Amino acid sequence: MECVCVWLVCVFVLSVCVGARSSLDGQRHLVTDGDAAPDLCEIDPPLCQDAASRLSFASLCSVHRLMDEDEDGSVDASETHEFLRDDLSLDSKDKHRKFHRADALISLQDLWSSWKSSEVYNWTQQQVFDWFLVSVELPQYSESFRKLQLDGKALPRLAVRSPPLTSSLKVSDRTHAQKLQLKALDIVLFGPPPGPPPRPLSPSGSGGGLHLLPAEQEVKRGLGRVLSDLEAAEC
Ligand SMILES: *[C@@H]1O[C@H](CO)[C@@H](O)[C@H](O)[C@H]1NC(C)=O
């Protein structure tokens, strides 16, 4: 009888332990879900099944993760400031203002909706190609870039390392790949530069008035770091 009692107690204790374990597991599972990056389907159901949108969203998610240094889910003014100053070395006031337009805290959802309201999002393939010619200044790739037929919606994919894209561009020089990445990051986060939309220079036109930095110099201005960080950040 005593034996049976002890046995029963054992079974009871054991089942309580197992019960506690599984509810702990459940909790941990919930916490993990809470930390996970939100899915496009939650943020933007109409585009949930759109393959191109999903790729762009994943790219923006990587950028957001990189900017959100304290990992609290949103990018605050000081994080933007640091990102611009230390990582991009870009003239920051105007871009800072553009990025934070109305919001002090930029969540991934904010970033996605501000990207969708950017005029760049609606750019046609021709406008993207013109941007490539005028702003990216890597004419040696223009023919393969044109063949990619990217429209504005695809630009976030150029802002992070995207092996399928860079390999179809046949970019062998790392500084060239980084320059393209940086230019795309700039236009996706901060919109097009002020002024009339880019018009490609005619081959006979003089580009003498423009201050053009060679790709190497531009990458050395401290941009290399953020770009390699972006390669590492994943959502
Ligand atoms: C982009 O195009 C869509 C559909 O034509 C339009 O509703 C939207 O207002 C446009 N966005 C911008 C920023 O021009």
Side-chain angles (χ1 to χ4, degrees):
M1 182 65 195
E2 243 175 60
C3 218
V4 171
C5 272
V6 168
W7 189 80
L8 273 178
V9 167
C10 275
V11 167
F12 176 73
V13 167
L14 210 83
S15 61
V16 167
C17 282
V18 170
R21 255 271 290 291
S22 51
S23 74
L24 252 184
D25 281 354
Q27 220 165 22
R28 197 175 318 133
H29 187 65
L30 276 181
V31 170
T32 315
D33 276 357
D35 282 351
D39 190 68
L40 181 60
C41 295
E42 293 164 26
I43 286 183
D44 199 340
L47 292 181
C48 176
Q49 299 305 332
D50 180 52
S53 298
R54 294 188 73 84
L55 287 171
S56 293
F57 181 76
S59 305
L60 277 185
C61 185
S62 296
V63 173
H64 188 267
R65 179 159 291 192
L66 180 66
M67 293 182 79
D68 180 16
E69 225 167 327
D70 62 10
E71 297 176 12
D72 69 347
S74 54
V75 177
D76 61 34
S78 74
E79 284 168 335
T80 302
H81 183 70
E82 258 177 56
F83 183 73
L84 285 167
R85 186 199 54 194
D86 301 343
D87 295 332
L88 298 182
S89 317
L90 292 170
D91 164 33
S92 70
K93 270 197 199 123
D94 183 44
K95 295 189 192 284
H96 196 287
R97 196 169 36 76
K98 273 190 188 169
F99 188 69
H100 280 282
R101 250 171 255 158
D103 237 322
L105 298 175
I106 308 290
S107 66
L108 178 57
Q109 185 163 5
D110 298 331
L111 187 59
W112 179 249
S113 41
S114 95
W115 160 240
K116 280 182 69 185
S117 62
S118 160
E119 63 181 272
V120 178
Y121 181 84
N122 276 354
W123 272 5
T124 61
Q125 288 178 15
Q126 182 62 47
Q127 283 171 300
V128 169
F129 186 57
D130 291 348
W131 162 80
F132 184 81
L133 294 178
V134 174
S135 297
V136 183
E137 300 153 23
L138 294 170
Q140 60 273 51
Y141 306 108
S142 52
E143 196 42 39
S144 41
F145 189 86
R146 198 181 53 75
K147 285 194 188 132
L148 286 180
Q149 302 189 314
L150 301 177
D151 60 13
K153 293 176 181 58
L155 283 175
R157 293 165 59 196
L158 291 175
V160 298
R161 193 179 68 124
S162 165
L165 283 185
T166 22
S167 56
S168 37
L169 280 176
K170 300 182 185 68
V171 181
S172 49
D173 186 331
R174 193 171 159 75
T175 57
H176 291 164
Q178 290 185 328
K179 185 181 187 190
L180 174 59
Q181 202 185 330
L182 173 78
K183 293 286 186 178
L185 186 60
D186 188 0
I187 202 159
V188 165
L189 290 181
F190 310 113
R199 289 309 313 165
L201 303 168
S202 65
S204 58
S206 87
L210 293 172
H211 177 59
L212 306 181
L213 280 178
E216 293 77 12
Q217 247 175 295
E218 209 149 352
V219 168
K220 277 191 192 131
R221 273 161 56 212
L223 308 173
R225 186 160 66 86
V226 65
L227 298 179
S228 34
D229 284 353
L230 264 176
E231 290 174 15
E234 249 181 36
C235 283

mmCIF file of all heavy atoms in Angstrom, residues 51-52 55-57 59-60 150 153-162 164-165 181 184 188:
data_model
loop_
_atom_site.group_PDB
_atom_site.id
_atom_site.type_symbol
_atom_site.label_atom_id
_atom_site.label_comp_id
_atom_site.label_asym_id
_atom_site.label_seq_id
_atom_site.Cartn_x
_atom_site.Cartn_y
_atom_site.Cartn_z
ATOM 1 N N ALA A 51 5.263 37.804 -55.048
ATOM 2 C CA ALA A 51 6.658 37.385 -54.852
ATOM 3 C C ALA A 51 7.615 38.580 -54.855
ATOM 4 O O ALA A 51 8.513 38.662 -54.010
ATOM 5 C CB ALA A 51 7.043 36.388 -55.932
ATOM 6 N N ALA A 52 7.426 39.507 -55.783
ATOM 7 C CA ALA A 52 8.342 40.655 -55.866
ATOM 8 C C ALA A 52 8.252 41.512 -54.607
ATOM 9 O O ALA A 52 9.266 41.968 -54.077
ATOM 10 C CB ALA A 52 8.027 41.478 -57.104
ATOM 11 N N LEU A 55 10.123 39.924 -51.723
ATOM 12 C CA LEU A 55 11.575 40.117 -51.804
ATOM 13 C C LEU A 55 11.960 41.522 -51.340
ATOM 14 O O LEU A 55 12.914 41.705 -50.583
ATOM 15 C CB LEU A 55 12.066 39.896 -53.243
ATOM 16 C CG LEU A 55 12.091 38.446 -53.727
ATOM 17 C CD1 LEU A 55 12.388 38.389 -55.217
ATOM 18 C CD2 LEU A 55 13.134 37.652 -52.933
ATOM 19 N N SER A 56 11.212 42.509 -51.797
ATOM 20 C CA SER A 56 11.505 43.885 -51.398
ATOM 21 C C SER A 56 11.302 44.073 -49.902
ATOM 22 O O SER A 56 12.071 44.763 -49.237
ATOM 23 C CB SER A 56 10.610 44.874 -52.157
ATOM 24 O OG SER A 56 10.947 44.871 -53.512
ATOM 25 N N PHE A 57 10.251 43.453 -49.397
ATOM 26 C CA PHE A 57 9.969 43.571 -47.971
ATOM 27 C C PHE A 57 11.102 42.954 -47.142
ATOM 28 O O PHE A 57 11.541 43.523 -46.145
ATOM 29 C CB PHE A 57 8.643 42.900 -47.635
ATOM 30 C CG PHE A 57 8.259 42.998 -46.188
ATOM 31 C CD1 PHE A 57 7.768 44.182 -45.669
ATOM 32 C CD2 PHE A 57 8.407 41.912 -45.332
ATOM 33 C CE1 PHE A 57 7.429 44.289 -44.328
ATOM 34 C CE2 PHE A 57 8.075 42.008 -43.983
ATOM 35 C CZ PHE A 57 7.580 43.197 -43.484
ATOM 36 N N SER A 59 14.157 42.735 -47.956
ATOM 37 C CA SER A 59 15.311 43.640 -48.021
ATOM 38 C C SER A 59 15.134 44.811 -47.065
ATOM 39 O O SER A 59 16.054 45.174 -46.332
ATOM 40 C CB SER A 59 15.489 44.177 -49.439
ATOM 41 O OG SER A 59 15.588 43.116 -50.359
ATOM 42 N N LEU A 60 13.951 45.411 -47.059
ATOM 43 C CA LEU A 60 13.711 46.532 -46.144
ATOM 44 C C LEU A 60 13.806 46.078 -44.701
ATOM 45 O O LEU A 60 14.263 46.827 -43.828
ATOM 46 C CB LEU A 60 12.334 47.149 -46.397
ATOM 47 C CG LEU A 60 12.259 48.161 -47.534
ATOM 48 C CD1 LEU A 60 10.866 48.771 -47.593
ATOM 49 C CD2 LEU A 60 13.289 49.275 -47.351
ATOM 50 N N LEU A 150 14.192 46.144 -64.116
ATOM 51 C CA LEU A 150 13.715 46.422 -62.762
ATOM 52 C C LEU A 150 12.870 47.688 -62.762
ATOM 53 O O LEU A 150 13.238 48.680 -63.390
ATOM 54 C CB LEU A 150 14.911 46.627 -61.819
ATOM 55 C CG LEU A 150 15.899 45.467 -61.693
ATOM 56 C CD1 LEU A 150 17.059 45.860 -60.795
ATOM 57 C CD2 LEU A 150 15.182 44.238 -61.138
ATOM 58 N N LYS A 153 9.633 49.293 -57.745
ATOM 59 C CA LYS A 153 9.292 48.395 -56.637
ATOM 60 C C LYS A 153 10.407 47.417 -56.303
ATOM 61 O O LYS A 153 10.464 46.874 -55.210
ATOM 62 C CB LYS A 153 8.018 47.614 -56.976
ATOM 63 C CG LYS A 153 6.802 48.502 -57.047
ATOM 64 C CD LYS A 153 5.565 47.727 -57.487
ATOM 65 C CE LYS A 153 4.351 48.643 -57.582
ATOM 66 N NZ LYS A 153 4.531 49.770 -58.505
ATOM 67 N N ALA A 154 11.293 47.189 -57.257
ATOM 68 C CA ALA A 154 12.366 46.205 -57.040
ATOM 69 C C ALA A 154 13.598 46.830 -56.395
ATOM 70 O O ALA A 154 14.513 46.106 -55.993
ATOM 71 C CB ALA A 154 12.749 45.561 -58.367
ATOM 72 N N LEU A 155 13.634 48.169 -56.281
ATOM 73 C CA LEU A 155 14.871 48.812 -55.828
ATOM 74 C C LEU A 155 15.385 48.380 -54.453
ATOM 75 O O LEU A 155 16.602 48.311 -54.259
ATOM 76 C CB LEU A 155 14.741 50.342 -55.904
ATOM 77 C CG LEU A 155 14.886 50.900 -57.329
ATOM 78 C CD1 LEU A 155 14.625 52.398 -57.349
ATOM 79 C CD2 LEU A 155 16.287 50.616 -57.873
ATOM 80 N N PRO A 156 14.498 48.074 -53.477
ATOM 81 C CA PRO A 156 15.052 47.635 -52.194
ATOM 82 C C PRO A 156 15.963 46.419 -52.322
ATOM 83 O O PRO A 156 16.894 46.246 -51.548
ATOM 84 C CB PRO A 156 13.805 47.299 -51.362
ATOM 85 C CG PRO A 156 12.739 48.154 -51.930
ATOM 86 C CD PRO A 156 13.034 48.217 -53.410
ATOM 87 N N ARG A 157 15.703 45.607 -53.321
ATOM 88 C CA ARG A 157 16.544 44.412 -53.491
ATOM 89 C C ARG A 157 17.962 44.778 -53.865
ATOM 90 O O ARG A 157 18.891 44.002 -53.617
ATOM 91 C CB ARG A 157 15.940 43.493 -54.555
ATOM 92 C CG ARG A 157 14.620 42.896 -54.116
ATOM 93 C CD ARG A 157 13.880 42.303 -55.279
ATOM 94 N NE ARG A 157 14.657 41.257 -55.932
ATOM 95 C CZ ARG A 157 14.371 40.790 -57.143
ATOM 96 N NH1 ARG A 157 13.366 41.289 -57.818
ATOM 97 N NH2 ARG A 157 15.101 39.850 -57.670
ATOM 98 N N LEU A 158 18.137 45.950 -54.489
ATOM 99 C CA LEU A 158 19.497 46.375 -54.828
ATOM 100 C C LEU A 158 20.203 46.973 -53.625
ATOM 101 O O LEU A 158 21.422 47.131 -53.619
ATOM 102 C CB LEU A 158 19.467 47.407 -55.963
ATOM 103 C CG LEU A 158 19.054 46.918 -57.343
ATOM 104 C CD1 LEU A 158 18.970 48.095 -58.299
ATOM 105 C CD2 LEU A 158 20.049 45.883 -57.866
ATOM 106 N N ALA A 159 19.417 47.341 -52.610
ATOM 107 C CA ALA A 159 19.996 48.022 -51.449
ATOM 108 C C ALA A 159 20.662 47.047 -50.474
ATOM 109 O O ALA A 159 21.398 47.456 -49.590
ATOM 110 C CB ALA A 159 18.928 48.833 -50.718
ATOM 111 N N VAL A 160 20.368 45.783 -50.609
ATOM 112 C CA VAL A 160 21.072 44.784 -49.809
ATOM 113 C C VAL A 160 21.774 43.852 -50.781
ATOM 114 O O VAL A 160 21.473 43.847 -51.964
ATOM 115 C CB VAL A 160 20.112 43.977 -48.906
ATOM 116 C CG1 VAL A 160 19.410 44.872 -47.917
ATOM 117 C CG2 VAL A 160 19.103 43.228 -49.736
ATOM 118 N N ARG A 161 22.691 43.086 -50.272
ATOM 119 C CA ARG A 161 23.393 42.206 -51.185
ATOM 120 C C ARG A 161 22.418 41.158 -51.718
ATOM 121 O O ARG A 161 21.726 40.496 -50.954
ATOM 122 C CB ARG A 161 24.551 41.511 -50.491
ATOM 123 C CG ARG A 161 25.489 40.831 -51.485
ATOM 124 C CD ARG A 161 26.611 40.197 -50.737
ATOM 125 N NE ARG A 161 26.111 39.076 -49.928
ATOM 126 C CZ ARG A 161 26.572 37.847 -50.019
ATOM 127 N NH1 ARG A 161 27.539 37.576 -50.845
ATOM 128 N NH2 ARG A 161 26.091 36.884 -49.252
ATOM 129 N N SER A 162 22.351 41.070 -52.984
ATOM 130 C CA SER A 162 21.356 40.195 -53.586
ATOM 131 C C SER A 162 22.040 39.401 -54.689
ATOM 132 O O SER A 162 22.082 39.827 -55.833
ATOM 133 C CB SER A 162 20.233 41.076 -54.117
ATOM 134 O OG SER A 162 19.418 40.375 -54.980
ATOM 135 N N PRO A 164 21.493 36.941 -56.709
ATOM 136 C CA PRO A 164 20.952 36.707 -58.047
ATOM 137 C C PRO A 164 21.043 37.958 -58.923
ATOM 138 O O PRO A 164 21.326 37.866 -60.108
ATOM 139 C CB PRO A 164 19.489 36.340 -57.793
ATOM 140 C CG PRO A 164 19.356 36.097 -56.342
ATOM 141 C CD PRO A 164 20.495 36.750 -55.658
ATOM 142 N N LEU A 165 20.808 39.125 -58.288
ATOM 143 C CA LEU A 165 20.854 40.357 -59.073
ATOM 144 C C LEU A 165 22.281 40.712 -59.480
ATOM 145 O O LEU A 165 22.555 40.992 -60.638
ATOM 146 C CB LEU A 165 20.246 41.523 -58.288
ATOM 147 C CG LEU A 165 18.721 41.565 -58.226
ATOM 148 C CD1 LEU A 165 18.255 42.834 -57.533
ATOM 149 C CD2 LEU A 165 18.136 41.514 -59.627
ATOM 150 N N GLN A 181 24.824 49.300 -54.367
ATOM 151 C CA GLN A 181 24.049 49.023 -53.158
ATOM 152 C C GLN A 181 23.786 50.312 -52.372
ATOM 153 O O GLN A 181 22.681 50.589 -51.920
ATOM 154 C CB GLN A 181 24.850 48.039 -52.303
ATOM 155 C CG GLN A 181 24.034 47.253 -51.315
ATOM 156 C CD GLN A 181 24.919 46.397 -50.422
ATOM 157 O OE1 GLN A 181 26.000 45.967 -50.844
ATOM 158 N NE2 GLN A 181 24.487 46.146 -49.213
ATOM 159 N N ALA A 184 21.296 52.618 -54.095
ATOM 160 C CA ALA A 184 19.933 52.100 -53.965
ATOM 161 C C ALA A 184 19.411 52.334 -52.549
ATOM 162 O O ALA A 184 18.267 52.746 -52.349
ATOM 163 C CB ALA A 184 19.894 50.623 -54.326
ATOM 164 N N VAL A 188 16.081 54.517 -51.707
ATOM 165 C CA VAL A 188 14.956 53.804 -51.089
ATOM 166 C C VAL A 188 14.601 54.444 -49.741
ATOM 167 O O VAL A 188 13.435 54.651 -49.424
ATOM 168 C CB VAL A 188 15.283 52.306 -50.911
ATOM 169 C CG1 VAL A 188 14.303 51.637 -49.968
ATOM 170 C CG2 VAL A 188 15.268 51.607 -52.261
#
